[in-house]
Amino acid sequence: MAATPLELARTAATAADDKKATDIVVIDLTRDSDVCDYFVICTANSKPQADAVLEAVEEKVRLNCNEKPLSVEGRAGSNWTLVDYGAVVVHVFRPETRDFYRLDRLWGDAPRVDFGLEGQAGQAAEAE
């Protein structure tokens, strides 16, 4: 049985947390977007860490959810990499790029999903 979008988002967030990504936010867009159901947003402090986060996300989602990305944009040393799983989009930012684009604020009215991760920012309300 295929993983639900929420399970895939949780798996990706957990993989990012395993590689010490910070400010991990899972945004529930099920009511706000026709493009996808969840954004997973995190910060990696260096390019090697960003690469490790991306590899961990892809591997853990493949093994636990049996899903491969539809596309990956910006991988090679980029300050922002996007991994598109269709219903879930994972964003791995370097700090300065995350501050510049502020996706968290752009989707500020959307509910946050709290998984109790070490790198998760703030106290978010669990999606209903």
Side-chain angles (χ1 to χ4, degrees):
M1 187 164 106
T4 67
L6 181 58
E7 291 168 336
L8 196 152
R10 179 180 183 176
T11 300
T14 301
D17 188 58
D18 290 348
K19 294 300 178 182
K20 306 298 184 208
T22 59
D23 299 323
I24 301 167
V25 178
V26 180
I27 302 175
D28 181 346
L29 299 173
T30 54
R31 297 182 209 149
D32 299 318
S33 173
D34 292 333
V35 176
C36 69
D37 293 338
Y38 295 94
F39 271 175
V40 177
I41 304 170
C42 67
T43 301
N45 290 314
S46 67
K47 289 179 184 180
Q49 183 188 22
D51 291 341
V53 169
L54 291 165
E55 287 175 20
V57 166
E58 288 183 46
E59 180 179 3
K60 199 164 207 171
V61 168
R62 183 179 49 78
L63 292 174
N64 294 353
C65 303
N66 198 31
E67 294 281 343
K68 292 182 181 178
L70 300 174
S71 67
V72 179
E73 302 294 329
R75 180 180 287 274
S78 178
N79 287 327
W80 176 7
T81 304
L82 180 147
V83 184
D84 183 358
Y85 287 99
V88 177
V89 178
V90 180
H91 302 268
V92 180
F93 283 103
R94 294 290 307 282
E96 61 281 356
T97 307
R98 185 169 181 175
D99 288 343
F100 181 79
Y101 286 102
R102 299 180 180 197
L103 287 187
D104 314 64
R105 289 191 183 165
L106 179 65
W107 295 98
D109 293 340
R112 297 328 196 233
V113 179
D114 183 5
F115 293 115
L117 299 174
E118 211 173 285
Q120 194 163 17
Q123 296 296 320
E126 186 162 336
E128 297 173 4

